[in-house]
Amino acid sequence: ITHRIAALLAEGVPAWRILAVTFTNRAASEMRERTARLCQERPDAGELWVGTFHSICVRLLRRDIGQMERSRGFVIYDDADSLGVIKQAFKRAEIDPKVHDAKHVRWRIDQWKNAGVLPAEAQDTAADADEEFCARFYGIYQRMLFDSDALDFGDILLMTLQLMKRFPRVLDYYQRRWQYILVDEYQDTNRVQYELVKLLGSAHRNVCVVGDPDQSIYAWRGADLRNILDFEEDYPEAEVIRLEENYRSTQPILSAASAVVANNVERKEKNLFTQRDGGDPIRFFEAEDDREESSHVIGRILSDRNHHDRGYGDFAILYRTNAQSRSFEEE
């Protein structure tokens, strides 16, 4: 994406006509730094819009949320703030927090927002008693946020989408402004982010996305794999460029990883390769319990240490949770 931005600028595209979206502040900062290094001769490079979905949408809302009869001075609630609002709503309604979990209600509301579902629709489509309860508090929660002139993280995206849909003049302004839209980590987009990109790019269809369906692991927070799998259906004229060379791993690692992920039913085919030859083959050992696992690992360490004159500092043991270290330490 950084090199594509540099190429667009070299072709004479004004920097302010380019929008680049990433998923983390760190990635956005790195993208700005790389672009600055590549485009030192362009004094207008600083006019690029580069940021996360949330940071860009906040800038839009600070400018245009007045269209929706909301104050541009709104505050943004983090997860702890929004959970506090749910608990306050429980208290007002005399709901026992031991019976209903405020964190679960907050998660359910966040899932609805990621999918672009408003309170009325959530109530109409609730599938069971739990969803009916959560949908009821979704409406109460939103009214409490409104009264506090506050938005949560989900609102930032959902409110921007509603702004674009309800006020065509606002949408037209940003469509004309951003002639080139570039999105990183597209496999991690949720429904609202997908619709925002589609709306903003619908006039010119200069949309470039980078992503890997095999790396989509955020369905639990609303990411929709269909967004990247169906990209060519949304943009039949799109050119697909497969970036298949890997610069980090040796071939045995790539071959094993590819063999595992090839079993995924829905994916785009690619053949990963690397210039880094060599590397030991992967060894796989299936233990019956944690004791057998730790015994096998420590035995391998002692064997390698004795036969290859290695120190303990040459070895590392990786585990998923802190509790799993105990059997290794005891062994």
Side-chain angles (χ1 to χ4, degrees), residues 57-74 146 149 151 159-160 162-164 166-167 170 174:
C57 286
V58 167
R59 289 179 68 178
L60 266 63
L61 292 174
R62 292 291 186 203
R63 179 183 183 273
D64 294 306
I65 198 171
Q67 303 275 352
M68 306 176 77
E69 298 182 351
R70 297 289 296 266
S71 166
R72 289 190 294 178
F74 61 84
F146 180 87
D149 194 17
L151 304 179
M159 192 78 72
T160 304
Q162 292 299 309
L163 179 68
M164 298 293 179
R166 290 171 53 187
F167 300 94
V170 175
Y174 289 107

Side-chain angles (χ1 to χ4, degrees), residues 80-92:
D81 295 326
S82 58
L83 184 62
V85 175
I86 297 290
K87 290 179 178 179
Q88 187 179 354
F90 275 15
K91 190 174 182 179
R92 289 182 183 179

Side-chain angles (χ1 to χ4, degrees), residues 243-301:
L243 305 177
E244 297 180 317
E245 182 170 2
N246 182 290
Y247 300 93
R248 294 175 178 170
S249 304
T250 57
Q251 195 58 50
I253 297 293
L254 291 183
S255 298
S258 297
V260 172
V261 81
N263 293 284
N264 286 353
V265 176
E266 294 183 297
R267 63 187 298 268
K268 293 182 180 294
E269 289 295 327
K270 58 182 180 294
N271 180 33
L272 297 180
F273 69 92
T274 181
Q275 303 295 333
R276 300 182 63 186
D277 294 327
D280 293 336
I282 294 173
R283 296 184 178 91
F284 174 75
F285 175 76
E286 185 174 9
E288 289 193 3
D289 55 33
D290 61 333
R291 293 296 172 185
E292 185 179 6
E293 177 186 39
S294 60
S295 177
H296 175 78
V297 170
I298 303 307
R300 284 295 309 278
I301 290 175

Side-chain angles (χ1 to χ4, degrees), residues 39-209:
C39 308
Q40 292 179 4
E41 73 284 358
R42 285 292 298 260
D44 66 337
E47 297 177 16
L48 284 164
W49 276 55
V50 180
T52 65
F53 273 100
H54 285 87
S55 66
I56 288 167
C57 286
V58 167
R59 289 179 68 178
L60 266 63
L61 292 174
R62 292 291 186 203
R63 179 183 183 273
D64 294 306
I65 198 171
Q67 303 275 352
M68 306 176 77
E69 298 182 351
R70 297 289 296 266
S71 166
R72 289 190 294 178
F74 61 84
V75 296
I76 299 173
Y77 280 1
D78 61 17
D79 290 340
D81 295 326
S82 58
L83 184 62
V85 175
I86 297 290
K87 290 179 178 179
Q88 187 179 354
F90 275 15
K91 190 174 182 179
R92 289 182 183 179
E94 298 183 350
I95 299 295
D96 186 352
K98 296 179 181 179
V99 177
H100 294 282
D101 183 10
K103 289 184 178 179
H104 171 71
V105 175
R106 176 70 187 89
W107 173 84
R108 181 68 261 180
I109 292 172
D110 195 49
Q111 292 297 98
W112 274 319
K113 290 185 178 183
N114 288 336
V117 176
L118 298 173
E121 184 182 354
Q123 292 178 356
D124 291 341
T125 59
D128 52 36
D130 176 67
E131 287 195 2
E132 288 177 1
F133 178 84
C134 293
R136 170 191 164 199
F137 275 90
Y138 183 8
I140 296 171
Y141 171 76
Q142 288 303 105
R143 286 195 294 274
M144 293 176 70
L145 289 184
F146 180 87
D147 291 342
S148 300
D149 194 17
L151 304 179
D152 65 16
F153 291 142
D155 284 328
I156 291 170
L157 303 183
L158 188 54
M159 192 78 72
T160 304
L161 180 61
Q162 292 299 309
L163 179 68
M164 298 293 179
K165 286 183 173 180
R166 290 171 53 187
F167 300 94
R169 291 179 61 183
V170 175
L171 174 61
D172 179 66
Y173 170 81
Y174 289 107
Q175 284 178 334
R176 286 186 290 108
R177 179 188 179 95
W178 293 321
Q179 296 292 306
Y180 298 88
I181 297 174
L182 305 94
V183 186
D184 194 20
E185 303 290 3
Y186 192 68
Q187 78 279 354
D188 293 334
T189 52
N190 60 35
R191 188 68 193 180
V192 173
Q193 292 162 337
Y194 162 83
E195 289 194 34
L196 278 170
V197 172
K198 194 171 182 181
L199 271 177
L200 290 170
S202 60
H204 48 71
R205 301 179 70 80
N206 288 328
V207 177
C208 171
V209 304

